[in-house]
Amino acid sequence: MKRREFIRHTAMGSGAAWIVARPVLGRMLAMPKLTQKFSAADTVMLGKTGIQTSRLAMGTGTIGVGHHSHQTDLGIRGLSELLLNGYERGLRFFDAADAYGSHPHVAEALKHVPRDKVTVLTKTWARDASSARADLNRFRRELGTEHIDVCLMHCLTEEDWTERYRGVMDVLSEAKEKGIIRAHGCSCHSIEALRAAARSPWVEVDLVRINPIGSHMDADPKTVVSVLREMRAAGKGIVGMKILGQGDLRGRQDEALKYALGLDLLDAFTIGAESKTEQEDLMRRIAVAA
């Protein structure tokens, strides 16, 4: 399969606002009335993990596949400076993944900030125990850090993933006990996998696709929200992605952000910017949407 076709079929990145828009797939839902002020730099807690970080995570994986993304196109210096620009404005959440190829870029940014002041989230495609162990060792070398705050199993689609990939789960549990990671969980790319994550006591943090028009989501917004309520009741950390529908809501960012903020279900959400101007505009929009 050619790279262009592969990207078109997979498109598993972190849902930036700034890519080319596609036709809107569904009607915008009624917007909630927000009763409090919000900021991208608000300090939030990820479920019951004890991890405190910023409401907005800086995504590094727009069309993140094959160790490449729109953000890594900026180069190590360019992306690290973008992360540091956000840090200077109160953003403390770096969202990386092996599939994005963004570990070296995050590592460069980490050289310039106190390690305990940022949350580093990354994701592994490992589907067996030996691969998971190798990934954890490699990831820490690439990131230049002794520990990873959140490590997720990336892009789960199977309904029975909690049984099928038990070996990976055990490796991540052991890593948490040893202090190699602080929390584990998954990113889901089917409603069946999402429901399994909601039921699993092993999942501490879930990266879930959510926006008001159902674009690039596991199911329609109403269905996904019902599963998120289960996760919230179980005390899981919930981080939203595809907030802007992978570009489908490019012209309606304020409405989409207000929807995410008004759900009262997301601890944080991740959006990838590709420039300091876009990043700062996004932060302004979050404040305005509230």
Side-chain angles (χ1 to χ4, degrees):
M1 184 179 290
K2 295 181 179 179
R3 176 177 172 79
R4 181 177 300 173
E5 294 172 341
F6 182 56
I7 290 174
R8 179 169 59 84
H9 282 85
T10 55
M12 299 303 182
S14 58
W18 322 111
I19 65 175
V20 175
R22 301 180 183 183
V24 173
L25 303 180
R27 291 188 302 171
M28 182 74 73
L29 300 181
M31 292 297 104
K33 183 177 181 179
L34 303 185
T35 58
Q36 67 181 89
K37 295 293 184 181
F38 292 93
S39 165
D42 286 339
T43 298
V44 300
M45 183 82 74
L46 298 183
K48 296 180 179 179
T49 64
I51 297 173
Q52 291 185 320
T53 191
S54 59
R55 185 178 304 281
L56 178 64
M58 292 180 280
T60 64
T62 302
I63 310 300
V65 64
H67 305 285
H68 175 271
S69 74
H70 287 193
Q71 282 73 33
T72 61
D73 274 346
L74 300 174
I76 290 178
R77 179 177 178 179
L79 179 49
S80 64
E81 288 181 351
L82 183 60
L83 294 172
L84 292 173
N85 185 68
Y87 178 87
E88 291 171 0
R89 286 156 179 76
L91 304 186
R92 299 291 188 263
F93 201 165
F94 296 174
D95 172 24
D98 186 33
Y100 311 158
S102 57
H103 288 168
H105 310 69
V106 171
E108 180 59 31
L110 289 177
K111 295 176 182 178
H112 305 282
V113 298
R115 178 63 184 88
D116 62 349
K117 299 297 183 183
V118 295
T119 299
V120 176
L121 179 152
T122 191
K123 313 169 193 79
T124 173
W125 275 88
R127 296 299 189 255
D128 61 78
S130 60
S131 296
R133 289 193 184 92
D135 276 358
L136 286 175
N137 290 331
R138 176 169 60 84
F139 289 2
R140 287 185 293 157
R141 290 195 305 270
E142 291 175 349
L143 289 163
T145 182
E146 294 182 357
H147 77 278
I148 296 167
D149 297 291
V150 183
C151 188
L152 304 181
M153 297 176 66
H154 202 169
C155 192
L156 293 169
T157 59
E158 300 87 351
E159 181 179 10
D160 66 344
W161 71 263
T162 57
E163 296 301 324
R164 186 181 301 199
Y165 304 131
R166 173 59 60 180
V168 178
M169 296 163 67
D170 290 344
V171 168
L172 294 179
S173 293
E174 180 184 357
K176 182 184 175 183
E177 292 175 3
K178 293 180 177 179
I180 294 171
I181 65 175
R182 296 176 64 194
H184 45 62
C186 60
S187 73
C188 296
H189 285 259
S190 78
I191 192 62
E192 294 80 14
L194 190 68
R195 286 176 171 144
R199 294 190 300 266
S200 172
W202 179 85
V203 175
E204 298 172 316
V205 177
D206 192 276
L207 186 61
V208 59
R209 302 188 289 184
I210 182 70
N211 59 69
I213 63 171
S215 174
H216 299 275
M217 283 175 50
D218 302 326
D220 63 274
K222 182 178 179 180
T223 299
V224 172
V225 166
S226 69
V227 180
L228 295 188
R229 289 197 182 103
E230 293 181 45
M231 290 184 169
R232 171 64 72 199
K236 301 183 187 301
I238 306 174
V239 180
M241 62 174 168
K242 306 297 184 189
I243 300 300
L244 301 172
Q246 196 167 299
D248 287 343
L249 289 164
R250 182 187 181 98
R252 305 174 76 175
Q253 297 101 314
D254 295 338
E255 294 170 88
L257 290 167
K258 186 174 182 180
Y259 175 78
L261 294 167
L263 286 173
D264 196 28
L265 292 170
L266 306 179
D267 297 312
F269 48 82
T270 179
I271 302 176
E274 297 176 31
S275 71
K276 294 177 182 179
T277 299
E278 290 176 350
Q279 184 184 72
E280 292 166 19
D281 178 67
L282 178 59
M283 296 182 70
R284 180 190 63 79
R285 288 178 181 277
I286 290 172
V288 169

